Amino acid sequence: MTKTLLAAALFASLAAPAFASDTPAERTFTRDGETYVYTTQIKTDRVVITGRSHPDGGPFELVVRGDSVTGFSGGIPVSFFMKGVQAKLMPAKLAAR
C-alpha cells in the first residue's frame, strides 16, 4: 500500500517538472481520500521529494537516485525501483551550439 502511494507521488511529480529557484514550488495531489503536499529538490546526483499527507499529517521523504527510490513514509522505511525515474524528474538540458 505504501509503495503504491509513494509511486503515485513520483508520477505526480513527473507531471510538473521543477525549475531552479530559491524556494521549491509546493505541489499537491489526492489519492484514496488522502491529500499529499510536497516539494522536489534537484541535487547533483539525486532528487529529494519531501512532504506531508493530510488529514493525517504524516511526513514522507523520498530520495531518487537512478532507478532506486528510498526513504520513509510516516516513519516507515520504503525502498523500490522505477525504471528511468530520475531522468524523468531532472529538467531537460538544452543543446548548446
Side-chain angles (χ1 to χ4, degrees):
M1 178 73 168
T2 300
K3 288 183 182 181
T4 303
L5 295 175
L6 295 176
L10 282 175
F11 285 124
S13 66
L14 295 175
F19 294 100
S21 69
D22 290 342
T23 57
E26 210 170 67
R27 297 184 183 99
T28 64
F29 74 95
T30 302
R31 180 176 171 106
D32 297 332
E34 292 278 325
T35 299
Y36 297 87
V37 180
Y38 66 96
T39 59
T40 57
Q41 292 182 328
I42 298 173
K43 307 287 185 171
T44 305
D45 63 339
R46 66 193 181 281
V47 177
V48 179
I49 303 169
T50 307
R52 299 187 84 66
S53 65
H54 297 281
D56 296 340
F60 63 89
E61 181 174 293
L62 303 174
V63 178
V64 181
R65 284 190 183 96
D67 295 343
S68 174
V69 181
T70 58
F72 68 88
S73 176
I76 299 170
V78 294
S79 178
F80 57 96
F81 291 92
M82 290 183 79
K83 186 172 180 156
V85 68
Q86 183 175 359
K88 292 176 184 173
L89 291 170
M90 300 296 274
K93 294 182 181 179
L94 300 176
R97 290 185 179 211

